[in-house]
């Protein structure tokens, strides 16, 4: 454990590339234990560019990763190189727990935007857990939170139509942005339509067709990378899309309300890519 003098030197030397335990706990939304200055620990930040891998499948496990900023995806990759997207972590999320069981990572984490990641060596976490039982319990709660989120996703995939999956994905993402203090109704999608489809168990064509239908019905609007949820409550309760004729009637009503101002159309992969 670093002394107080060492941590001050570390902060001065590395700018904002180190965080103390209280700052890490604040990021994870858990209570921080009362740590004396002599026992203070610093956690290093590492910056990743879009496209870089934070950890790979089969890599030795020794570190937990906490997202301080940026947007990522975690994936499984089969023997043919096909990706299955598991999650889209963002600020305050914990990565790397898949490596605890076998001491090797079972998935891969990839930055979808420039990211700032805090490294928490697992040995340091274990030592802190022995000293502060409340911290260990809180960290296990964070791990459980991640598992519950994944289980909820599995349940959603098995129960909803393709259209409802896309609608729920957009509203859930909006809610997460809102919880982080950002706009929950207008945000940039950092993933491609293909990645959304992989996450939801849908084809790229189904995702594109559904987003276009939402746009035409006035449920969302698209401006390059930015998605605006115009009717979040309808999206959240949507079960499936109405027939094309009924959608055309809805579109006509929306057009009449907005006058000659046309909704932007879905314009390909760049509309959702980072």
């Amino acid at each position: 454990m670093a002394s107080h003098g060492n941590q001050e030197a570390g902060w001065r030397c590395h700018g904002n590339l180190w965080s103390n335990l209280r700052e890490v706990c604040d990021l994870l939304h858990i209570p921080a234990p009362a740590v004396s200055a002599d026992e203070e620990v610093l956690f290093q930040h590492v910056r990743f560019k879009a496209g870089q891998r934070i950890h790979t499948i089969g890599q030795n496990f020794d570190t937990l990763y906490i997202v301080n900023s940026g947007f990522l995806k975690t994936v499984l990759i089969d023997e043919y190189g096909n990706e299955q997207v598991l999650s889209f972590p963002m600020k305050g999320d914990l990565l790397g727990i898949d490596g605890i069981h076998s001491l090797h990572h079972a998935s891969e984490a990839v930055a979808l935007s420039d990211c700032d990641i805090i490294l928490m060596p697992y040995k340091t976490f274990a030592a802190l857990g022995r000293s502060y039982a409340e911290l260990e319990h809180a960290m296990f709660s964070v791990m459980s939170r991640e598992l519950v989120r994944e289980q909820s996703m599995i349940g959603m995939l098995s129960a909803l139509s393709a259209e409802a999956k896309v609608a729920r994905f957009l509203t859930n993402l909006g809610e997460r942005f809102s919880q982080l203090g950002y706009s929950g109704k207008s945000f940039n999608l950092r993933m491609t339509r293909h990645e959304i489809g992989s996450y939801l168990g849908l084809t790229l064509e189904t995702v594109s067709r559904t987003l276009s239908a939402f746009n035409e019905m006035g449920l969302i609007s698209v401006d390059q990378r930015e998605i605006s949820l115009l009717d979040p409550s309808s999206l959240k309760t949507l079960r499936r899309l109405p027939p094309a004729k009924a959608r055309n009637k809805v579109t006509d009503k929306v057009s009449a309300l907005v006058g000659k101002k046309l909704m932007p159309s879905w314009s390909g992969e760049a509309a959702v890519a980072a």
Side-chain angles (χ1 to χ4, degrees):
M1 302 230 177
S3 70
H4 186 67
N6 286 341
Q7 61 172 284
E8 291 295 336
W11 274 317
R12 284 199 303 272
C13 179
H14 298 284
N16 293 324
L17 296 182
W18 297 83
S19 287
N20 60 25
L21 183 59
R22 178 187 55 77
E23 291 166 334
V24 168
C25 289
D26 287 346
L27 184 60
L28 293 171
H29 300 291
I30 59 176
V35 179
S36 68
D38 289 339
E39 297 178 315
E40 185 63 280
V41 183
L42 291 179
F43 299 95
Q44 185 180 7
H45 291 230
V46 176
R47 294 192 175 112
F48 293 86
K49 295 291 186 182
Q52 287 188 306
R53 283 155 175 75
I54 286 74
H55 64 74
T56 58
I57 295 173
Q59 179 180 323
N60 290 340
F61 167 76
D62 56 14
T63 303
L64 296 171
Y65 306 90
I66 302 164
V67 184
N68 187 50
S69 67
F71 206 90
L72 306 94
K73 66 177 179 179
T74 60
V75 299
L76 291 176
I77 302 176
D78 65 19
E79 63 270 27
Y80 303 106
N82 299 313
E83 285 189 358
Q84 170 64 55
V85 178
L86 302 175
S87 64
F88 293 111
M90 60 180 74
K91 183 175 180 178
D93 286 342
L94 180 69
L95 306 176
I97 61 175
D98 65 313
I100 296 175
H101 170 64
S102 67
L103 299 182
H104 292 84
H105 288 287
S107 65
E108 186 167 282
V110 185
L112 293 179
S113 68
D114 290 354
C115 296
D116 181 50
I117 306 295
I118 299 175
L119 309 184
M120 176 178 280
Y122 193 68
K123 287 183 179 179
T124 302
F125 161 68
L128 288 168
R130 288 191 294 270
S131 300
Y132 306 99
E134 70 274 23
L135 174 64
E136 184 177 54
H137 176 75
M139 286 293 293
F140 286 150
S141 294
V142 172
M143 295 178 189
S144 177
R145 184 173 70 199
E146 302 294 334
L147 294 174
V148 168
R149 187 180 294 158
E150 290 183 9
Q151 288 173 348
S152 298
M153 183 65 200
I154 293 170
M156 183 184 83
L157 291 177
S158 64
L160 299 179
S161 67
E163 298 93 343
K165 290 175 185 177
V166 176
R168 194 68 56 84
F169 170 76
L170 292 175
T171 55
N172 286 353
L173 191 58
E175 288 170 359
R176 292 211 62 198
F177 278 123
S178 181
Q179 291 167 1
L180 294 174
Y182 306 120
S183 171
K185 292 188 176 181
S186 294
F187 46 82
N188 288 336
L189 290 181
R190 295 295 184 179
M191 69 292 289
T192 65
R193 289 175 294 170
H194 176 75
E195 288 164 339
I196 294 174
S198 176
Y199 181 57
L200 297 177
L202 304 173
T203 65
L204 181 153
E205 292 77 15
T206 298
V207 173
S208 296
R209 185 170 61 250
T210 303
L211 288 169
S212 294
F214 289 170
N215 185 79
E216 292 167 6
M217 294 172 65
L219 297 175
I220 67 173
S221 69
V222 182
D223 182 8
Q224 295 185 350
R225 292 180 299 171
E226 186 174 348
I227 297 289
S228 294
L229 307 185
L230 304 178
D231 193 348
S233 59
S234 293
L235 282 171
K236 197 163 188 176
T237 57
L238 184 142
R239 292 292 175 264
R240 60 183 63 252
L241 285 174
K245 288 184 179 179
R247 293 208 304 271
N248 290 337
K249 290 180 181 180
V250 173
T251 303
D252 291 341
K253 289 181 181 179
V254 172
S255 297
L257 289 173
V258 300
K260 295 182 179 180
K261 183 179 179 181
L262 297 177
M263 293 284 183
S265 61
W266 184 259
S267 55
E269 195 78 10
V272 291

